[in-house]
Amino acid sequence: MPLLFERIKDIRNHLERLRCDEGKSIGFVPTMGYLHEGHKALIRESKVQNDVTVVSIYVNPTQFGPSEDYERYPRDLDRDMAICEELGVDVVFTPSDEEMYPEGFSTNVNVSCITEILEGEFRPGHFRGVATVVLKLLNIVQPDRAYFGEKDYQQLKVVQKMVKDLNLPIQIIPVETVREKDGLAFSSRNVYLSEEERDSALSIYKAFQLAQKMISEGKRQSEVLINAMEDLIRSHPHVTKIDYITITDPELSPVQEVREGDRILIALWVGGTRLIDNWKIKL
Ligand code: AMP
């Protein structure tokens, strides 16, 4: 079983011993738990590249808006611990809210510009919560490398920007999105979907495939691609709202004509569940 820590001072003592006395390299995978194949890919990458792998499991309240799914977000520590054991995780960190945000806590990290578009527009304050908790976790664990999924592409960019701007001596390692056989990206939130809703959720991947096919036929205008994806998605009965369908360069600036490596980013609602996904364009 991995060693389980709930207190900051305890995990710090333990990791300091490994880092300083034993000279071990540390890989860190921050998660909100309810682990799936996407998380497992991050953990496996960390296992390959580091002596010690630390996983945090913490549903961070400050990155959820007041009407979002913080209360019902799926949680199952026993199941997560079994998965961590199976993968050979060394240390699991599960702090309480009091441990992370004791009374009087009043410091927040604001990464400007890229947090104001896309997810930032539809989830005000979300990235402030993310950047703050990620910086705290990085300071607590002090890893050599930290692993983030491309599934949350904008989050990855925000974390990379924060690490660069604040000169943190940590390598951020992006990991490609892991998908189910039919293309649906693994997400802890997929458990909210009924069978019919899951069918409609697949419209996201079908839209990526449609755009990719049009691109291979020579269509490069973002507007044309976006309209086609929107029509396809709207034909699915359980898609209740599209927050955005956009095509950007790798740094999240919208493009009019697509190039290799650009990203299609989609956020939409299926019934009461909000899903996000993105796709790297190949020419
Ligand atoms: P979460 O528990 O949803 O906060 O995710 C924890 C980490 O796992 C984040 O870096 C996510 O981007 C990453 N992740 C979530 N789903 C996937 C996926 N399907 N493929 C790859 N990484 C993922």
Side-chain angles (χ1 to χ4, degrees):
M1 260 303 183
L3 277 174
L4 179 64
F5 293 98
E6 295 175 356
R7 307 301 298 258
I8 294 166
K9 70 168 178 9
D10 295 337
I11 188 171
R12 274 212 150 137
N13 281 339
H14 179 72
L15 293 178
E16 189 174 307
R17 222 174 305 127
L18 295 176
R19 190 186 308 109
C20 300
D21 303 349
E22 300 181 28
K24 301 263 205 261
S25 62
I26 295 177
F28 178 42
V29 181
T31 81
M32 297 205 298
Y34 214 68
L35 304 179
H36 52 64
E37 290 300 322
H39 300 115
K40 288 188 192 175
L42 273 62
I43 293 170
R44 289 194 183 104
E45 193 72 10
S46 172
K47 288 283 297 173
V48 170
Q49 298 182 345
N50 303 280
D51 300 322
V52 174
T53 290
V54 180
V55 172
S56 65
I57 296 174
Y58 180 57
V59 184
N60 173 41
T62 69
Q63 69 191 66
F64 288 79
S67 59
E68 293 184 358
D69 58 341
Y70 172 69
E71 295 296 341
R72 71 168 184 143
Y73 195 86
R75 295 161 169 91
D76 188 341
L77 183 59
D78 291 341
R79 184 174 158 278
D80 288 346
M81 284 302 282
I83 290 172
C84 286
E85 180 175 26
E86 189 187 300
L87 294 181
V89 170
D90 302 281
V91 171
V92 174
F93 181 47
T94 58
S96 64
D97 291 340
E98 297 69 44
E99 187 73 1
M100 291 298 276
Y101 304 108
E103 217 177 297
F105 182 91
S106 66
T107 304
N108 284 287
V109 181
N110 181 39
V111 180
S112 53
C113 294
I114 60 163
T115 58
E116 283 143 34
I117 54 172
L118 303 170
E119 287 303 283
E121 196 182 325
F122 290 91
R123 304 185 69 188
H126 169 65
F127 285 122
R128 193 170 104 132
V130 168
T132 304
V133 80
V134 169
L135 182 59
K136 280 174 67 71
L137 290 168
L138 293 177
N139 278 333
I140 292 163
V141 174
Q142 297 180 42
D144 297 278
R145 299 176 192 86
Y147 296 79
F148 288 85
E150 289 186 353
K151 159 76 168 52
D152 301 281
Y153 188 73
Q154 191 177 6
Q155 170 175 282
L156 167 67
K157 301 312 285 182
V158 169
V159 170
Q160 284 176 329
K161 187 78 174 39
M162 175 183 75
V163 163
K164 180 166 181 267
D165 286 353
L166 299 181
N167 310 101
L168 302 186
I170 296 167
Q171 228 182 310
I172 300 300
I173 313 278
V175 177
E176 268 183 33
T177 302
V178 183
R179 300 178 180 282
E180 299 202 41
K181 275 204 189 73
D182 58 8
L184 184 68
F186 280 99
S187 163
S188 306
R189 289 188 167 101
N190 290 352
V191 293
Y192 299 151
L193 301 171
S194 67
E195 213 172 297
E196 301 82 52
E197 286 175 339
R198 196 188 173 288
D199 264 358
S200 286
L202 253 188
S203 67
I204 302 175
Y205 184 68
K206 288 181 182 159
F208 294 152
Q209 285 185 310
L210 172 65
Q212 192 59 65
K213 181 166 169 285
M214 291 172 71
I215 292 163
S216 71
E217 292 163 358
K219 302 197 177 77
R220 302 279 153 88
Q221 294 290 319
S222 293
E223 201 187 326
V224 172
L225 299 167
I226 290 168
N227 287 339
M229 288 190 283
E230 186 174 339
D231 287 346
L232 183 150
I233 286 170
R234 286 204 191 282
S235 73
H236 289 73
H238 296 282
V239 176
T240 39
K241 185 172 176 277
I242 299 175
D243 280 352
Y244 57 79
I245 303 174
T246 190
I247 305 182
T248 73
D249 68 13
E251 299 313 312
L252 294 175
S253 297
V255 295
Q256 292 194 340
E257 270 209 13
V258 300
R259 282 172 308 188
E260 174 80 31
D262 286 347
R263 291 265 164 185
I264 304 169
L265 298 112
I266 295 180
L268 53 71
W269 291 79
V270 176
T273 303
R274 189 173 185 278
L275 299 172
I276 60 169
D277 199 349
N278 68 90
W279 180 260
K280 186 175 178 179
I281 289 170
K282 306 166 203 85
L283 288 193

